[in-house]
């Protein structure tokens, strides 16, 4: 079973002017991410506006990314949905199209008990082949429900294909506890990518970074420093990357990603899926001015 390391990219979902999925731009973005040296693609994640997409759109996006990547990097599809039925349907679709694994965000809105979360993940993990990798995914600030160490261990005990977790809340103590699951073999990816270096230094495996698709040069340089054990260089690169991340996340980070990718000619439009809103023209100008003032295409540690 595959485990992830390095920089997993929850790619945005580009839309045409009439609001449908822009397959051509998605293919171009997939190619751009791969050629930039980023290590895994993660379509239909939070950055991909997944809960505002219907299942057919999510399947089209996953199919497009898997086909375009053609095995050059792993593709893990985010299959979590509002219901167990839809989650299983999307998980099994990911298997059928040749994805390398799935991430599964917790159900949202209704508060669930730990037992309910365990049952949910066990049913999803057992609905796919036993050698098909599954990552738990918690983003409690958005989804209401959280995953604790006990839930992770119980699910992993029952489902050997549950190999790790993407945890998207900045809790270093909890992240390190997840690293102890399954006799310290549990893969831990951090969502807040300002913790990329420190999580890897503590024994984690990498980050899931929306910012990385916009400033890939910075992330590949940081990952190289981490891999080589050059902590002084990694610290400098993490700090300089954080400055750019703060600019990208000042307003609406997903909108910001789309604006930059459009300006660089990678996608055609920066539109969001309603009811989400894009940046105003004034905000777009301020964003690009701030990035350019920091020479965002140059990697300077």
């Amino acid at each position: 079973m595959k485990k992830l390391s390095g920089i997993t990219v929850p790619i945005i979902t580009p839309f045409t002017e009439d609001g449908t999925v822009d397959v051509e731009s998605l293919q171009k973005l997939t190619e751009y991410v791969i050629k930039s040296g980023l290590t895994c693609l993660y379509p239909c994640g939070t950055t991909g506006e997944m809960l505002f997409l219907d299942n057919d759109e999510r399947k089209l996006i996953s199919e497009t990314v898997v086909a375009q990547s053609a095995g050059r990097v792993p593709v893990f599809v985010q299959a979590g949905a509002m219901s167990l039925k839809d989650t299983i349907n999307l998980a099994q679709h990911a298997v059928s199209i040749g994805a390398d694994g799935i991430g599964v965000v917790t159900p949202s809105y209704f508060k669930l008990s730990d037992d309910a979360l365990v049952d949910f993940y066990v049913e999803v993990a057992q609905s796919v082949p036993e050698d098909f990798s599954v990552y738990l995914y918690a983003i409690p600030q958005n989804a209401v429900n959280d995953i604790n160490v006990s839930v992770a261990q119980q699910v992993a005990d029952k489902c050997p294909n549950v190999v790790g977790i993407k945890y998207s809340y900045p809790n270093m103590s909890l992240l390190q506890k997840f690293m102890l699951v399954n006799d310290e073999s549990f893969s831990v990816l951090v969502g807040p990518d300002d913790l990329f270096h420190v999580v890897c230094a503590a024994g984690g495996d990498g980050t899931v970074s929306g910012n990385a698709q916009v400033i890939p040069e910075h992330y590949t340089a940081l990952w190289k420093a981490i891999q080589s054990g050059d902590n002084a260089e990694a610290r400098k690169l993490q700090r300089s990357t954080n400055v750019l991340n703060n600019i990208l996340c000042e307003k609406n980070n997903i909108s910001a990603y789309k604006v930059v990718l459009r300006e660089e000619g990678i996608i055609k439009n920066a539109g969001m899926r309603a009811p989400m809103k894009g940046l105003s023209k004034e905000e777009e100008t301020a964003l690009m001015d701030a990035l350019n003032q920091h020479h965002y295409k140059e990697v300077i540690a």
Side-chain angles (χ1 to χ4, degrees), residues 137-299:
Y137 172 20
I139 182 167
Q141 65 271 34
N142 286 19
V144 178
N145 293 299
D146 199 0
I147 296 173
N148 59 40
V149 175
S150 174
V151 167
Q153 185 64 70
Q154 289 179 67
V155 175
D157 285 343
K158 295 178 180 180
C159 306
N161 59 332
V162 174
V163 297
I165 187 168
K166 174 200 173 186
Y167 197 74
S168 288
Y169 191 81
N171 184 333
M172 270 302 298
S173 177
L174 183 55
L175 283 159
Q176 290 180 87
K177 290 176 182 176
F178 282 128
M179 296 174 198
L180 303 177
V181 170
N182 272 8
D183 297 323
E184 302 184 32
S185 67
F186 210 55
S187 174
V188 176
L189 306 174
V190 63
D193 46 9
D194 56 348
L195 296 178
F196 183 15
H197 172 224
V198 68
V199 164
C200 288
D205 297 287
T207 186
V208 182
S209 170
N211 297 304
Q213 66 200 299
V214 180
I215 48 173
E217 304 89 348
H218 297 264
Y219 279 83
T220 53
L222 176 51
W223 179 232
K224 182 178 179 181
I226 291 169
Q227 286 182 296
S228 68
D230 189 343
N231 285 312
E233 180 76 357
R235 281 195 300 270
K236 292 177 183 177
L237 288 164
Q238 181 74 78
R239 289 169 183 168
S240 62
T241 300
N242 289 350
V243 172
L244 297 175
N245 290 345
N246 289 337
I247 294 171
L248 289 166
C249 297
E250 184 176 358
K251 296 291 183 180
N252 180 316
N253 62 327
I254 304 173
S255 296
Y257 302 157
K258 290 188 176 186
V259 168
V260 180
L261 292 168
R262 182 201 63 201
E263 291 300 298
E264 294 185 355
I266 297 161
I267 65 174
K268 293 178 183 176
N269 300 295
M272 302 286 288
R273 174 57 59 86
M276 295 183 75
K277 302 286 286 185
L279 301 183
S280 67
K281 291 296 183 185
E282 294 76 13
E283 289 170 335
E284 288 185 6
T285 299
L287 168 67
M288 295 309 302
D289 284 349
L291 290 172
N292 285 319
Q293 286 170 11
H294 284 84
H295 307 285
Y296 78 101
K297 299 303 290 183
E298 300 176 26
V299 180

Side-chain angles (χ1 to χ4, degrees), residues 57-82:
E57 289 175 316
R58 292 177 67 167
K59 290 176 181 179
L60 173 62
I61 292 162
S62 301
E63 290 165 7
T64 301
V65 174
V66 168
Q68 187 67 32
S69 65
R72 289 174 290 168
V73 298
V75 177
F76 273 58
V77 174
Q78 199 297 109
M82 290 297 289

Side-chain angles (χ1 to χ4, degrees), residues 106-124:
T106 60
S108 62
Y109 191 81
F110 294 105
K111 184 65 177 175
L112 300 176
S113 68
D114 286 353
D115 286 346
L117 283 171
V118 170
D119 290 347
F120 170 79
Y121 279 111
V122 168
E123 288 203 50
V124 174

